[in-house]
Amino acid sequence: MMYAKVIVGLNNPAMDRLFDYRVPAELTLREGTRVIVPFGRRNARTEGYVISLSAETDIPAERLKDILGVLDEGKPSFTPRLLELAKWMQERYFCTLNQCLQTMLPAGIRTKSSWTVSLLDFGEEVSLTPKERLLVEFIGERRNVPLDDIQAEFTGKVTELLSRLEEKGVLERKQHLRHSAYKKERRLLSLDAEHPLLEAVWRKAESDKRLAGQRLLLEYMANGEESTAEELKEKFGITDSPIKTLLAKGILRERRETVLRDVCDGEDVERTAAFVPTAEQAAALEEICREMERTEKRPVLLHGVTGSGKTELYLQVIAEVLKKGQQAIVLVPEIALTPLILERFLSRFGEKVSVTHSRLSMGERVDQWKKARDGEISVIIGPRSALFMPFQNVGAVIMDEAHENSYVSDITPKYDTKDVAAELAKRCNALFLMGTATPDLVSYHKAQAGEYLLLELKERAGGGVLPEVHVTDLRKELAEGNRSMFSRGLEEAIRERLRRGEQTMLFLNRRGYATFVSCRSCGEAMTCPECDITYTYHGAEEALVCHYCGRRVPLPKICPQCGSRYIRYFGTGTQKIEEEARMLFPEARILRMDQDTTLTKHSHEEILETFGKGKADILIGTQMIAKGHDFPKVSLVGIMLADLSLGIDSYTASEAAFRLMTQAAGRAGRRSGGGEVYLQTYRPAHYAVQYAAKQDYRGFYEEEILMRRMLQYPPFGSFFSILLSGAEQAEVAAAAEALTAELREADGEKIAQFLGPVPLHRFRGEYRCRLMVKAAEEEALRTLVVPVVEKRKKDRKSSVRYQLSLNPVNIV
């Protein structure tokens, strides 16, 4: 007899522990397999994950239950290394093991459970309370009433009410499971050569010209051919009629075959060979290959200026990995970068490569996951979720644009992909390679200390030179009468590019038409009622949009506060930049790329392909266009408002601003040289602006690291952001004060600094409060904070929720 230790797939922290189950003799089970188990007093069928198998158990036989079945044809969904990684993430990110495991799965394959309630035939002698009678009347003659409908209609202890009625024989509850396999099937047709009617049908088809379609099918398929109906119709130019007739008579048989969807069209991609590396690249590649052979590998930080050929090094490293029969994971921060890097990888490795991201259909994503699990692909490209592909033998994890904040998850588990990737590589004995033109300060500091291997590429490949950067003081432009969003220098530079047939990219890290809309009479700003955040005006749809929760409302004609008609737009966004550009340059072909123009499946590829083929003169966009792109004809970049990132609520504000300015500037003159960048700002003296203009990362690092050391922010200290949220403002505020008091009392050695608690704007209808706790040593900080917060989470009398984040980049 075998026993399995199973984590049940319930988002209840109290249930996040291992449960022992018997493995029936007819089941073949492996660690990492998804299973269906009976759980709880009602033995509800529940998805679970097998963590380990054993021939022994400490649980008495009468308390053990049998596993009911396996999913995914019994193939493990998690490799042993992923199971180990999930346990590590559970400890690191203060969440449940179930949450970590579900993060690793494609969202669409999880089992969905629902309950319905139906009345039974019961006699009049059954005594019912008034509330029980109301419930019975609500169900009435309907069959299978969703439990959710009942819970929405009846407040209070509905479960107890249903249990009493069930005991009285009045109703029954039924569970319904839905497994979304997302299978794509081919219907293959073949000839039944043994069918008794075959000879007669064939003779009739040969003698009757009206049955020519049937005759063609019979002649073709007599050799044992197997084809789909679509293939047959295209081959012979026939309709569905002869196929349906032969199927109905049984002359043709149908067989269904599951096929995995292809998402990479590599047939039209021209195959390429490895480039001869420059001297700098060759030296870096030699160091990387040497590191790959070490028993204990260090993470590698590849710091290369924009256009230095980092992608070519990725390709040559992966070639070495594939030679060993291993697999590689390539992480990119933006969906917009995926088509460009994918084409490079397809040209080198062909069908071994696939891609995953949120714009694919659920079926397409599940199929790429299955291909990785079954060994049908060896290289996966995608955002942070690609890290959890169930490869059996990972040889390299490559993180492109490794500085990007999008690698940090903002939902539970709130993990930093860089740390998780390093841990996965360590457990797989694989290379972890981070490439960036602007390393985050913590990583660069680790490289300086020898914890990472630092490799630098200081020259552009192909002899290109960095662009010339002009810093434009927008205060001076305004004082001299220019109220346009385009400085005079930038406007003239764009006109010159249009005359020369070259391209321009304009970058603004804010989508929409205007930052906010307010009333000039009373000053009321139009604000989302769910989030207490000002709406952004989107001109194309005449709507106000909350960029936090997505709420959309029509633009008001009058002020909802005072009734005035004096509504005015303030600030600017990509839509407004586009509108003014079309007025200034009516002859230009203009594209805009932001979240609003890339909502459909292939919109990223279509915009980038149009611009890459020279069918547009100006590309306007948010951070989607600021990094990774390589367009030969782009010789001018305009950074429309460099100050935006300097105003974010984060200790990394200056770093984020420097990074975006440097990355955006790097799009200019990548092939021909002689590129220009106009950096428009209201704060030209800020050190982030000055160093970005000089493309001087080292200078910026030396100045910013002094600020971090002085304020004890990472890497010279750690802090927890504790976010409290709930439906009642007073309860959240009281819980925050009580938590602060408990933490201060627990801090007997006075190691911590407390900032807050501070009330925050509402978010999706909930009140929020934030407390920050700082200390010099991370372990001491964990020892202080985690036990106190975990204890408060278990307080069943309170409805306040607690979210704990260590060193978060965004603290709002």
Side-chain angles (χ1 to χ4, degrees):
M1 178 64 69
M2 292 296 293
Y3 304 93
K5 290 192 180 295
V6 175
I7 281 283
V8 293
L10 299 174
N11 289 323
N12 182 348
M15 297 295 104
D16 193 57
R17 56 191 176 89
L18 296 175
F19 292 90
D20 284 25
Y21 284 89
R22 272 191 303 263
V23 181
E26 67 271 15
L27 287 185
T28 301
L29 208 57
R30 287 185 283 172
E31 293 178 358
T33 305
R34 291 196 305 144
V35 292
I36 298 296
V37 296
F39 189 75
R41 284 179 293 180
R42 298 187 60 81
N43 287 325
R45 289 169 293 161
T46 307
E47 180 174 299
Y49 315 110
V50 177
I51 303 301
S52 63
L53 294 165
S54 173
E56 298 178 350
T57 179
D58 296 329
I59 307 299
E62 65 272 12
R63 292 178 54 194
L64 284 169
K65 301 175 183 178
D66 286 353
I67 290 177
L68 300 177
V70 298
L71 300 171
D72 308 316
E73 296 110 28
K75 297 178 181 178
S77 300
F78 308 98
T79 65
R81 297 291 176 265
L82 286 178
L83 288 177
E84 293 171 5
L85 185 67
K87 295 172 188 175
W88 178 86
M89 290 175 65
Q90 176 191 16
E91 295 296 323
R92 176 77 180 173
Y93 298 112
F94 324 106
C95 56
T96 66
L97 182 56
N98 173 57
Q99 288 171 326
C100 297
L101 291 170
Q102 291 195 350
T103 295
M104 294 177 174
L105 288 172
I109 69 169
R110 292 201 288 270
T111 304
K112 297 173 178 62
S113 173
S114 61
W115 289 83
T116 58
V117 180
S118 298
L119 291 183
L120 300 173
D121 292 330
F122 62 96
E124 295 182 1
E125 68 278 3
V126 176
S127 176
L128 300 177
T129 67
K131 196 160 189 177
E132 290 171 349
R133 192 168 296 281
L134 279 174
L135 179 52
V136 169
E137 290 173 356
F138 177 76
I139 299 173
E141 295 181 359
R142 292 187 290 170
R143 297 179 60 83
N144 299 325
V145 178
L147 180 58
D148 290 344
D149 291 358
I150 295 173
Q151 290 174 329
E153 181 72 18
F154 292 86
T155 57
K157 299 179 179 179
V158 177
T159 303
E160 291 182 13
L161 186 62
L162 290 169
S163 296
R164 290 201 305 269
L165 288 169
E166 206 165 25
E167 289 172 7
K168 294 178 180 181
V170 174
L171 54 77
E172 65 175 353
R173 283 176 278 186
K174 291 182 181 177
Q175 185 185 18
H176 308 271
L177 290 187
R178 184 162 59 88
H179 306 292
S180 300
Y182 292 103
K183 286 184 179 179
K184 180 181 179 181
E185 294 183 326
R186 295 176 70 211
R187 297 170 58 195
L188 293 169
L189 304 177
S190 62
L191 188 68
D192 183 359
E194 304 298 325
H195 197 283
L197 297 178
L198 176 60
E199 187 177 348
V201 169
W202 201 318
R203 282 201 306 269
K204 186 174 182 181
E206 287 180 325
S207 62
D208 190 339
K209 293 182 179 180
R210 293 172 300 177
L211 302 180
Q214 292 185 29
R215 178 179 57 77
L216 289 170
L217 288 174
L218 293 169
E219 290 174 352
Y220 176 69
M221 306 192 82
N223 295 324
E225 295 290 341
E226 201 174 34
S227 301
T228 66
E230 288 73 22
E231 291 168 345
L232 293 171
K233 287 190 291 184
E234 183 177 352
K235 184 176 183 66
F236 297 111
I238 59 177
T239 65
D240 284 320
S241 179
I243 297 173
K244 289 181 177 179
T245 300
L246 293 177
L247 274 172
K249 291 179 178 180
I251 304 298
L252 290 183
R253 295 176 299 194
E254 181 181 278
R255 180 177 68 85
R256 292 178 180 249
E257 176 185 71
T258 300
V259 294
L260 298 180
R261 300 164 180 86
D262 288 323
V263 295
C264 300
D265 185 9
E267 293 183 3
D268 297 330
V269 177
E270 184 179 350
R271 298 300 292 267
T272 61
F275 296 164
V276 176
T278 64
E280 262 192 338
Q281 289 174 327
L285 189 59
E286 185 178 344
E287 288 284 347
I288 292 170
C289 289
R290 189 179 297 122
E291 195 68 30
M292 290 173 72
E293 298 305 317
R294 290 181 48 162
T295 304
E296 293 186 5
K297 301 172 179 59
R298 289 174 293 173
V300 178
L301 179 61
L302 180 62
H303 176 207
V305 299
T306 54
S308 58
K310 295 184 288 295
T311 303
E312 179 59 31
L313 287 188
Y314 303 160
L315 290 165
Q316 298 202 26
V317 166
I318 290 174
E320 294 299 315
V321 169
L322 297 184
K323 284 180 186 176
K324 299 177 182 179
Q326 297 178 304
Q327 299 90 42
I329 298 169
V330 182
L331 303 173
V332 293
E334 296 274 356
I335 296 173
L337 292 178
T338 308
L340 300 171
I341 199 167
L342 177 60
E343 185 171 345
R344 294 280 301 275
F345 277 71
L346 285 172
S347 73
R348 197 69 56 88
F349 305 120
E351 63 185 16
K352 296 177 182 177
V353 178
S354 193
V355 64
T356 184
H357 54 71
S358 60
R359 294 293 164 83
L360 298 179
S361 71
M362 194 63 71
E364 287 171 329
R365 278 182 275 169
V366 169
D367 280 357
Q368 306 325 298
W369 177 82
K370 288 179 178 178
K371 286 182 179 182
R373 181 195 64 190
D374 298 340
E376 295 186 22
I377 56 172
S378 300
V379 181
I380 190 69
I381 301 170
R384 58 178 186 255
S385 60
L387 184 62
F388 305 120
M389 282 290 176
F391 282 133
Q392 297 298 321
N393 189 12
V394 176
V397 180
I398 296 174
M399 179 181 284
D400 191 32
E401 308 288 354
H403 56 272
E404 276 298 313
N405 289 343
S406 59
Y407 282 126
V408 180
S409 171
D410 56 1
I411 59 174
T412 303
K414 296 189 174 184
Y415 65 92
D416 186 332
T417 306
K418 189 183 291 93
D419 294 338
V420 179
E423 186 65 23
L424 177 63
K426 178 181 175 181
R427 292 177 182 275
C428 296
N429 193 27
L431 176 76
F432 178 39
L433 173 59
M434 297 165 280
T436 173
T438 52
D440 67 275
L441 263 72
V442 173
S443 294
Y444 197 75
H445 185 266
K446 287 181 178 180
Q448 293 291 307
E451 189 175 337
Y452 293 172
L453 171 62
L454 177 63
L455 302 174
E456 298 194 279
L457 302 175
K458 299 179 180 179
E459 299 176 358
R460 282 188 161 182
V465 296
L466 292 172
E468 180 182 0
V469 180
H470 309 278
V471 177
T472 302
D473 188 343
L474 291 177
R475 298 171 302 179
K476 185 178 179 182
E477 289 283 322
L478 187 61
E480 294 176 359
N482 180 19
R483 297 183 177 277
S484 167
M485 289 174 286
F486 292 79
S487 64
R488 290 163 295 183
L490 176 59
E491 182 181 341
E492 180 51 40
I494 293 173
R495 295 192 188 282
E496 177 63 24
R497 266 55 185 191
L498 291 172
R499 284 192 290 270
R500 290 176 2 200
E502 296 173 357
Q503 291 177 305
T504 298
M505 295 177 75
L506 301 177
F507 167 73
L508 179 73
N509 198 27
R510 176 180 286 147
R511 73 187 208 266
Y513 185 91
T515 308
F516 65 97
V517 177
S518 74
C519 173
R520 295 176 65 185
S521 295
C522 70
E524 175 76 6
M526 306 301 128
T527 304
C528 173
E530 295 291 323
C531 301
D532 286 347
I533 292 291
T534 52
Y535 284 118
T536 298
Y537 173 54
H538 286 233
E541 52 194 301
E542 290 281 317
L544 300 179
V545 181
C546 174
H547 286 174
Y548 277 68
C549 69
R551 185 185 180 95
R552 277 175 152 77
V553 297
L555 179 69
K557 296 282 194 295
I558 61 172
C559 172
Q561 188 70 22
C562 71
S564 168
R565 294 185 177 275
Y566 294 101
I567 305 290
R568 185 177 177 183
Y569 316 135
F570 291 86
T572 191
T574 48
Q575 285 188 22
K576 197 170 182 181
I577 296 282
E578 179 188 15
E579 182 181 285
E580 186 164 343
R582 292 190 183 280
M583 292 173 60
L584 287 172
F585 316 108
E587 75 279 20
R589 298 164 298 173
I590 298 174
L591 293 173
R592 175 165 60 88
M593 186 170 179
D594 55 28
Q595 189 170 329
D596 299 307
T597 62
T598 56
L599 295 174
T600 57
K601 186 172 181 178
H602 298 293
S603 49
H604 290 92
E605 295 96 316
E606 290 166 358
I607 293 172
L608 294 172
E609 183 179 359
T610 300
F611 191 66
K613 289 181 176 179
K615 296 180 180 179
D617 305 303
I618 299 172
L619 176 61
I620 300 167
T622 57
Q623 64 179 5
M624 288 182 182
I625 69 168
K627 60 251 185 194
H629 302 299
D630 186 357
F631 297 114
K633 293 182 68 177
V634 172
S635 61
L636 175 66
V637 168
I639 303 174
M640 304 304 292
L641 192 56
D643 310 86
L644 284 178
S645 296
L646 291 172
I648 63 175
D649 186 8
S650 173
Y651 69 96
T652 64
S654 295
E655 180 183 356
F658 170 82
R659 190 163 59 221
L660 275 172
M661 287 184 279
T662 304
Q663 291 284 340
R667 300 315 105 204
R670 290 171 68 94
R671 299 286 179 88
S672 60
E676 282 188 296
V677 177
Y678 279 80
L679 197 161
Q680 302 185 157
T681 175
Y682 287 99
R683 302 170 70 181
H686 194 284
Y687 66 93
V689 174
Q690 290 295 314
Y691 285 118
K694 293 184 286 187
Q695 305 274 289
D696 182 2
Y697 175 82
R698 183 72 191 197
F700 172 78
Y701 169 82
E702 295 292 354
E703 187 153 347
E704 179 68 8
I705 206 74
L706 291 175
M707 298 289 291
R708 297 282 182 91
R709 188 188 297 272
M710 182 174 65
L711 297 173
Q712 281 197 314
Y713 279 115
F716 302 108
S718 292
F719 70 95
F720 271 117
S721 171
I722 309 171
L723 184 67
L724 296 83
S725 60
E728 299 296 330
Q729 186 175 14
E731 186 182 17
V732 172
E737 293 294 342
L739 174 63
T740 306
E742 288 180 30
L743 286 169
R744 288 184 183 277
E745 184 178 350
D747 185 22
E749 298 182 12
K750 307 299 180 187
I751 65 164
Q753 176 186 359
F754 297 87
L755 306 175
V758 177
L760 301 176
H761 53 75
R762 278 191 303 156
F763 182 61
R764 293 177 179 169
E766 289 198 324
Y767 293 94
R768 309 190 303 159
C769 207
R770 185 191 68 219
L771 170 66
M772 287 176 55
V773 188
K774 292 174 62 178
E777 298 294 332
E778 181 182 317
E779 284 308 313
L781 182 64
R782 281 174 174 268
T783 303
L784 168 65
V785 173
V786 175
V788 176
V789 174
E790 290 300 319
K791 181 182 176 182
R792 293 197 65 84
K793 281 183 178 180
K794 295 174 182 176
D795 182 6
R796 295 187 177 183
K797 296 179 182 178
S798 173
S799 61
V800 174
R801 290 188 299 280
Y802 298 81
Q803 288 186 15
L804 197 58
S805 300
L806 180 65
N807 299 330
V809 175
N810 299 313
I811 57 177
V812 177

